Amino acid sequence: MLRVLSQKTLFAVVSGAALIAGVFLVSSILHTGDRGLFCSLSPVFSRISFGGGGTDATGQLAEALLYYATTSVVPQQSRAEIRLTFDVLRRRAPCNFLVFGLGRDSRMWAALNPGGTTVFLEEDPEWYELVTKSSPMLRAHHVKYRTRLDEADKLLRGYRAVTACRPGAADGIAGLRKNDDCPLALVGLPREIYEREWDVVMIDAPKGYFAAAPGRMAAAYSAAVMARGRRGEGDTDVYIHDVDRKVEKAYALEFLCKKYRVGATGRLWHFRIPPVNANVTTAGDTFC
């Protein structure tokens, strides 16, 4: 979708590209102890204006750079995985970016969408309090899920028999917000999640490594429903992490669809899902 960007927003996007490169470069320098190289690069960073009249977006980028350059905390995804999402954010920002999960990379994701809206959904109340206390600038919500990981196989086998879960009956916000009859639909989310159309979705939560954990089944299903029901122009870029695990892989293939996969690296898959009115090949009871 074409966007008309202000000069300030364009500057923020360019600054974002420079800063994220700086985050990884500075982090590498600090870990290898090459201070001489760090000093030689300082003139490059001094040409990026952060203070005195700068935009909130550039301020956020500066904060992210400072945070990652001065802490041992590193993002949870690999550099190659982050790059896969960064390339899309660089093209689409400012955009609406929905992230399932709060983590060590949350400040980075928010900073990589300068001028846009980045919202995080986190199911662990203690982790939610910890992250939002240390990073109060993040826009995040604590949410609850109705699923359990040990139900994943049963839900995948049975969802087609539930009319409320089928494509067509469940497309867009109407297929989620009050769809209590579909166990995979994310109901009870904050109002703003339903009122926005999400351009980019990152599924890196909830927990999916023990039986009682919520698993990412509902997140994958609901991302597909949101993308299919998109009313605006353009497709929805959806990422799902940890596809080396059985459930993430199975649900990605069932709902996000192999034919829409446009990229992959490490444990991350990238899908570009068109709205339902452009998806003329979808069968009545399947999403793919």
Side-chain angles (χ1 to χ4, degrees), residues 160-172:
R160 296 185 191 182
V162 181
T163 301
C165 293
R166 294 177 185 171
D171 284 331

Side-chain angles (χ1 to χ4, degrees), residues 109-246:
W109 291 134
L112 288 179
N113 185 25
T117 298
T118 304
V119 178
F120 301 87
L121 302 178
E122 173 58 45
E123 94 279 3
D124 186 325
E126 294 183 1
W127 183 247
Y128 171 83
E129 292 294 334
L130 180 65
V131 176
T132 53
K133 183 177 181 179
S134 62
S135 302
M137 78 292 295
L138 296 177
R139 193 167 180 167
H141 300 283
H142 174 244
V143 296
K144 296 181 179 180
Y145 292 84
R146 299 185 291 163
T147 55
R148 286 173 53 108
L149 185 66
D150 55 9
E151 300 172 339
D153 290 341
K154 181 179 68 174
L155 289 169
L156 192 61
R157 289 194 306 267
Y159 86 91
R160 296 185 191 182
V162 181
T163 301
C165 293
R166 294 177 185 171
D171 284 331
I173 298 309
L176 295 180
R177 194 170 196 170
K178 298 180 180 179
N179 195 355
D180 293 293
D181 292 335
C182 179
L184 288 171
L186 287 178
V187 299
L189 295 180
R191 185 175 177 179
E192 74 166 322
I193 306 303
Y194 301 119
E195 292 182 346
R196 292 182 183 273
E197 290 209 321
W198 300 99
D199 304 303
V200 183
V201 179
M202 170 63 71
I203 303 171
D204 206 359
K207 295 184 183 72
Y209 52 87
F210 58 94
R216 297 178 188 172
M217 302 85 72
Y221 172 87
S222 298
V225 170
M226 291 177 183
R228 287 170 52 85
R230 184 181 180 90
R231 298 179 301 277
E233 296 180 9
D235 300 336
T236 304
D237 287 285
V238 180
Y239 296 86
I240 184 165
H241 197 224
D242 297 316
V243 292
D244 56 317
R245 302 194 303 213
K246 175 185 174 182

Side-chain angles (χ1 to χ4, degrees), residues 92-106:
R92 300 198 70 163
C95 67
N96 291 329
F97 184 20
L98 179 63
V99 183
F100 286 87
L102 276 172
R104 297 188 296 272
D105 48 14
S106 295

